[in-house]
Amino acid sequence: MNRAPFGNSLSRRNLLTALAAVPAVALLAACSDSGEEAKPAATPAAAQVPEAQGTVDMAELLKPGALPEKQLGKDDAKVTIVEYASMTCPHCAHFAMTTFPELKTKYIDTGKARYILREFPFDPSAEAGFMLARCSKDNYFAMVDVLFKQQPSWVGVNNTKEALLQISKLAGFTQESFESCLTDQKLLDDVRAVQKRGADEFKVDSTPTFFINGKTYKGAMSIEEMSAIIDPLL
């Protein structure tokens, strides 16, 4: 499979510099490592069950990785949803803003499903976004939510570093803690390890990619489509 843009050759030493002037064209492959955007799943007229694109071994999928899992919901929920996302992917942002709130209310908060988000960045901006979310610790999901909602203000702009700094300050970061986070080489390596494992072991090559009780679905599904998959599993 094709390598994600920028690959692992970009060192932490120059990531902050790269963020200061990431050209918009560098982010065109944000939703696919093939250079083509992954298309969101079409919303059907009726709630039909989307066709799975493959299967994975859930025991293998849920083995610990380089970073602790970021999970919402109960461990014993009947349905497990694992999403691989990129912070700069517009389809991931669309899912986060239009489908996820109802998914959370209907299935996660009621104990029917648990949701795990895993990092799959395609570029330095996405890496930085996930690192800042990780540095937010207990506010990981809140930071992810803010970054998705404000995606147009920091993705593809002339100075991504400054844009991310302003968002981070509203989330409680200082200039010092912001730069400390984005110069954490181990954190960067771990974020990249999560992505590499997703690509190598589970064949993730576009975002968002969902694994729902072992079946693979690609694209930003609607709540109707997700319900059509989840309801028969309950």
Side-chain angles (χ1 to χ4, degrees):
M1 61 183 291
N2 299 326
R3 286 191 305 114
F6 298 92
N8 290 340
S9 61
L10 187 71
S11 71
R12 175 61 13 209
R13 189 181 309 169
N14 62 20
L15 178 56
L16 282 174
T17 302
L19 289 176
V22 178
V25 69
L27 302 176
L28 292 180
C31 293
S32 172
D33 69 352
S34 66
E36 299 178 358
E37 285 197 6
K39 294 177 176 59
T43 303
Q48 299 176 352
V49 181
E51 184 177 352
Q53 281 84 51
T55 60
V56 297
D57 184 328
M58 282 298 291
E60 290 297 318
L61 182 67
L62 296 178
K63 282 183 178 179
L67 287 168
E69 297 283 33
K70 289 300 182 180
Q71 173 181 310
L72 295 173
K74 297 180 178 179
D75 289 339
D76 61 354
K78 289 186 176 180
V79 176
T80 296
I81 304 165
V82 177
E83 178 187 0
Y84 280 87
S86 178
M87 289 304 312
T88 52
C89 173
H91 299 314
C92 298
H94 177 76
F95 173 82
M97 292 185 286
T98 63
T99 301
F100 186 75
E102 193 168 350
L103 178 73
K104 184 175 183 295
T105 299
K106 188 174 181 180
Y107 297 106
I108 300 170
D109 292 346
T110 57
K112 297 175 181 178
R114 64 168 166 165
Y115 167 83
I116 296 169
L117 178 61
R118 289 183 181 170
E119 295 89 348
F120 202 86
F122 281 121
D123 52 75
S125 296
E127 289 176 339
F130 277 128
M131 291 174 74
L132 290 168
R134 284 283 177 175
C135 290
S136 298
K137 301 189 183 301
D138 291 343
N139 292 321
Y140 176 87
F141 283 105
M143 190 65 176
V144 166
D145 184 59
V146 167
L147 289 172
F148 274 140
K149 286 179 177 176
Q150 297 193 26
Q151 197 180 73
S153 73
W154 65 275
V155 174
V157 299
N158 289 331
N159 193 331
T160 299
K161 176 186 174 183
E162 183 61 29
L164 281 174
L165 175 60
Q166 295 311 312
I167 295 171
S168 298
K169 283 183 175 179
L170 294 176
F173 283 80
T174 62
Q175 175 93 34
E176 182 180 2
S177 62
F178 173 81
E179 296 198 1
S180 175
C181 178
L182 295 186
T183 52
D184 185 338
Q185 182 65 46
K186 184 178 186 306
L187 179 56
L188 174 64
D189 291 342
D190 287 345
V191 166
R192 287 175 173 172
V194 172
Q195 184 206 37
K196 187 176 187 302
R197 181 185 176 216
D200 293 349
E201 296 185 24
F202 311 117
K203 309 308 176 186
V204 178
D205 60 6
S206 64
T207 56
T209 291
F210 300 92
F211 296 98
I212 303 178
N213 278 20
K215 292 186 177 181
T216 308
Y217 301 89
K218 298 184 179 184
M221 293 184 286
S222 67
I223 187 60
E224 290 80 14
E225 289 171 313
M226 296 208 79
S227 293
I229 296 169
I230 294 170
D231 287 346
L233 301 174
L234 298 175

